[in-house]
Amino acid sequence: MRRLKMFCLSLLAAAGLMSVAVAVEQAKVPATPATPAAAAAPVAAAKAPPVPLLWKVSDRDNAVYLLGSFHLLKPEDYPLSQDVDQAFQASDKVVFEIPPEQMLDPATGQKFLAAASFADGRTLSQVLPAATREKFNRILAQRGASVAQFDAYEPWFVNLSLMIGISQQMGFSADSGLDQRLMQQAMASKKPTGGLESIDTQLQVLDGSPMTEQVASLKEFIDKPTEMPGMLNDLHGAWRAGDVARLDTLAREEMKDKTPETYRMVNVERNDAWVPQIQEMLDGVKKGDTLVVVGALHLLGSDGVIEKLRAKGYTVERVCSACAATGAAAGTAETK
């Protein structure tokens, strides 16, 4: 259970889902059969805009808006909050985890497939326990496929491919993800854009988790495929509600406790690399305000970018009109 949840949580920290979608399409990876929960997903009624996970970090003459993203969303998650629209309009530049030009580069899908492939001659069939391999084969046989069609790819990629298949059945898509929408909006507005890391760096992170952990995560997915829709809905619901405490409990705390190595690689090390870059956007002479859009996991807890910047003496405040209206603006305390 906890490893399957950890896999869901990694989606809050990795922005390369557009690249994943391209890679999955190119690889012709078979989708998993629709689960009852996914197949029965009701048509959603009109909803209020998501409560934003948005903070303003400032010094005396510059500000950086930090927005926590969810990388797979639904059309009904739009329009966004006016808080996000105002932060976008106030910013002279929009920075994402990966520069948009790298995300849109046709070569990115091939890079993703190369990173997903075994580099040591092994195959998926060889690294999976026999019982898991047979169960996976039975699932795939219902779609006229077999494990052999996945053999070239490491478990993390297969796991991610299966998750994308289920999420699409639930109505989620990378094209509706917050990063993708804001990239398109920035390009349409002719705002300068940038990235905190390269696609190569992100692929190294995804590909670098221990093989034992990759296998265990895929095994749990195969053992309990019907649990994924509920987990994804829980995470999405916490993100939509802007509920920092619940998202921290569902995501960061368990990931840190149960899979500390993955937590270190996916979250802590990348946060540590990003904070100096954000400081450069703030320090020195006025450079104009910047909107930075990263996976929501990166903004949570003591290891998150928010607290790391707060500890350096910047003024930090939650920007959340809906929170103020309900008295639920957790995490809005300022520090001078």
Side-chain angles (χ1 to χ4, degrees):
M1 175 72 173
R2 64 176 183 266
R3 294 185 185 274
L4 183 57
K5 181 180 285 188
M6 181 211 72
F7 176 71
C8 292
L9 305 182
S10 70
L11 300 178
L12 295 175
L17 290 179
M18 177 178 175
S19 303
V20 175
V22 172
V24 170
E25 175 64 22
Q26 290 177 338
K28 299 288 191 291
V29 175
T32 54
T35 64
V43 176
K47 298 179 180 178
V51 177
L53 293 167
L54 178 65
W55 284 262
K56 183 179 181 180
V57 183
S58 54
D59 60 9
R60 287 179 294 181
D61 57 2
N62 290 306
V64 169
Y65 294 93
L66 291 171
L67 178 61
S69 174
F70 204 87
H71 302 303
L72 291 171
L73 289 176
K74 302 179 180 182
E76 57 261 35
D77 289 318
Y78 297 89
L80 298 173
S81 163
Q82 289 186 356
D83 294 330
V84 177
D85 292 339
Q86 291 169 4
F88 182 91
Q89 294 300 328
S91 299
D92 298 304
K93 184 176 183 179
V94 187
V95 175
F96 302 91
E97 294 184 23
I98 305 297
E101 61 270 19
Q102 291 187 21
M103 292 290 289
L104 299 173
D105 186 346
T108 294
Q110 291 299 327
K111 282 187 175 184
F112 205 101
L113 288 178
S117 300
F118 284 95
D120 57 7
R122 288 184 294 175
T123 66
L124 183 69
S125 294
Q126 290 172 342
V127 302
L128 291 181
T132 300
R133 183 175 63 249
E134 291 307 312
K135 183 176 290 187
F136 194 24
N137 248 330
R138 289 196 299 271
I139 293 173
L140 294 174
Q142 300 174 34
R143 306 284 293 187
S146 70
V147 172
Q149 291 173 256
F150 288 85
D151 261 347
Y153 302 111
E154 296 182 3
W156 68 264
F157 175 78
V158 177
N159 212 344
L160 190 52
S161 302
L162 297 174
M163 180 271 171
I164 288 177
I166 289 178
S167 67
Q168 287 175 339
Q169 293 164 4
M170 296 172 65
F172 291 95
S173 76
D175 286 342
S176 292
L178 188 59
D179 316 82
Q180 300 304 321
R181 287 294 185 97
L182 290 178
M183 282 183 187
Q184 296 299 326
Q185 188 175 340
M187 289 188 288
S189 303
K190 301 189 185 304
K191 282 186 184 284
T193 59
L196 295 171
E197 64 188 17
S198 69
I199 186 65
D200 295 322
T201 298
Q202 192 161 103
L203 289 175
Q204 289 171 7
V205 172
L206 291 171
D207 192 32
S209 60
M211 183 59 65
T212 54
E213 198 166 292
Q214 291 187 39
V215 169
S217 182
L218 180 56
K219 178 182 183 298
E220 188 144 13
F221 196 153
I222 292 169
D223 287 344
K224 303 175 182 179
T226 59
E227 293 186 8
M228 174 61 79
M231 292 179 184
L232 189 54
N233 276 332
D234 286 346
L235 287 166
H236 178 239
W239 177 86
R240 269 198 63 94
D243 191 334
V244 174
R246 177 162 172 75
L247 199 57
D248 192 51
T249 298
L250 289 173
R252 189 190 64 83
E253 289 182 359
E254 182 158 335
M255 187 178 186
K256 181 178 181 179
D257 180 49
K258 304 301 183 183
T259 55
E261 180 65 14
T262 297
Y263 179 82
R264 180 186 63 80
M265 295 172 61
V266 168
N267 198 48
V268 179
E269 289 186 351
R270 294 167 74 207
N271 292 350
D272 288 342
W274 294 351
V275 166
Q277 298 181 59
I278 296 170
Q279 286 186 263
E280 289 182 7
M281 301 173 194
L282 291 163
D283 294 344
V285 298
K286 183 170 177 60
K287 305 171 185 176
D289 296 343
T290 304
L291 174 62
V292 177
V293 184
V294 298
L297 181 65
H298 293 288
L299 304 184
L300 304 176
S302 59
D303 289 328
V305 171
I306 296 295
E307 291 306 318
K308 289 178 183 293
L309 290 168
R310 195 192 302 273
K312 292 182 180 295
Y314 295 102
T315 299
V316 180
E317 56 186 322
R318 177 94 181 261
V319 181
C320 182
S321 300
C323 297
T326 62
T332 58
E334 290 189 26
T335 183
K336 300 291 187 181

